[in-house]
Amino acid sequence: MQTNPLYTHKSIRKYKQQPIDDETINKIVDAGIRGSNTGNMQLYSIVLTTSDDVKRELAPAHFNQPMVTSAPLVATVCVDVNRMSKWCKVSNADLAFNNLESFITASIDATIVAQNMALAAEEEGLGICYIGTTTYNPDMIIDVLKLPKGVFPLVTLTIGYPDETPALTERLPAAAIVHKDRYVDYSDSDIKALHAEKEANPLNKKFVEENHKENLAQVFAEIRYPRQTSEAFSERLVETLKKQGLM
């Protein structure tokens, strides 16, 4: 049986009320810090939240998903050009970070950190859940975590000892993802064939039925990620990036 967390990841949303010891947390953080990054600038910071009060303050930003308050640890991995900017300033060095290129660079760094932390946590017998709402309400998270200019929340992980054993979530086959030498675009028949197993999944078929849609794609496009909502979140994201001095 495959036990490597690279191949057995499951999103855990229910946690035992068992604290994580400092040594384990430090190992998880160290794994994140050792991740690859651009130019060894480390344009990220990690905010570790264990306070029940602060988790309750964070919850509305994440649409009050229960795991935000029930997990013993909430890790918010942030884009951070603040630290590097201040180092350059005190060192009489002029390096500009208020641009899209720097934000993308720092976002890649922060994402690698988060993934390393997730793998390290799972290696320690912990469960994690990636919270996709972090960039929906970044201004709320900035206020709660008191993030200064140059710092932007990008990825949130809830971490704790699992109190559930969910099944593996389906994934598209490698043939849908991997292109050899050059990108080969998909025909309509390719798309249908590559998504057939996903659409036949009983749980996904249930989603379609419950939402009174014709197919799974309509659930994604019209229920989970409707155009109007995505555009509103995008506008909020850009406004917050400007406010934080990142654009």
Side-chain angles (χ1 to χ4, degrees), residues 29-44 77 104-117:
V29 169
D30 286 346
I33 291 172
R34 290 309 310 169
S36 298
N37 70 95
T38 305
N40 204 25
M41 292 186 290
Q42 294 182 269
L43 301 177
Y44 56 80
V77 184
I104 290 176
T105 294
S107 296
I108 293 169
D109 288 1
T111 303
I112 292 171
V113 168
Q115 180 64 6
N116 269 25
M117 290 177 64

Side-chain angles (χ1 to χ4, degrees), residues 45-244:
S45 281
I46 306 164
V47 181
L48 301 176
T49 302
T50 57
S51 163
D52 288 338
D53 289 340
V54 179
K55 284 187 281 184
R56 279 192 290 270
E57 289 183 54
L58 280 173
H62 296 291
F63 301 149
N64 292 306
Q65 296 178 82
M67 57 275 199
V68 175
T69 51
S70 65
L73 174 63
V74 177
T76 308
V77 184
C78 305
V79 163
D80 187 348
V81 302
N82 174 55
R83 183 180 61 250
M84 185 76 176
S85 296
K86 288 186 172 179
W87 180 46
C88 288
K89 183 177 181 180
V90 300
S91 303
N92 196 29
D94 184 19
L95 186 57
F97 288 109
N98 59 337
N99 53 75
L100 181 60
E101 168 61 26
S102 295
F103 177 70
I104 290 176
T105 294
S107 296
I108 293 169
D109 288 1
T111 303
I112 292 171
V113 168
Q115 180 64 6
N116 269 25
M117 290 177 64
L119 291 171
E122 291 178 329
E123 190 69 35
E124 294 295 318
L126 294 155
I128 70 99
C129 187
Y130 158 72
I131 308 293
T133 47
T134 306
T135 55
Y136 292 177
N137 298 305
D139 50 339
M140 296 170 66
I141 298 172
I142 287 166
D143 288 344
V144 172
L145 299 182
K146 302 189 183 305
L147 305 181
K149 277 197 170 186
V151 184
F152 185 90
L154 192 76
V155 179
T156 300
L157 300 174
T158 58
I159 305 174
Y161 291 98
D163 197 24
E164 63 173 345
T165 53
L168 285 174
T169 306
E170 91 285 342
R171 293 289 191 264
L172 290 173
I177 309 296
V178 180
H179 301 257
K180 186 176 180 181
D181 293 328
R182 292 181 175 86
Y183 192 102
V184 179
D185 207 353
Y186 310 94
S187 66
D188 288 353
S189 59
D190 290 335
I191 290 294
K192 289 180 180 179
L194 292 169
H195 287 80
E197 185 176 351
K198 187 181 187 77
E199 294 200 63
N201 181 286
L203 186 59
N204 288 337
K205 291 177 77 171
K206 184 180 177 184
F207 289 153
V208 173
E209 183 179 346
E210 289 176 342
N211 288 286
H212 309 291
K213 295 298 177 182
E214 296 175 13
N215 54 57
L216 187 61
Q218 290 182 1
V219 174
F220 276 88
E222 299 171 20
I223 302 297
R224 297 189 65 184
Y225 305 103
R227 181 188 301 273
Q228 185 176 2
T229 301
S230 294
E231 290 177 351
F233 284 142
S234 293
E235 290 176 6
R236 190 171 189 175
L237 178 63
V238 172
E239 289 173 5
T240 308
L241 284 170
K242 290 178 179 178
K243 182 180 178 182
Q244 289 300 99

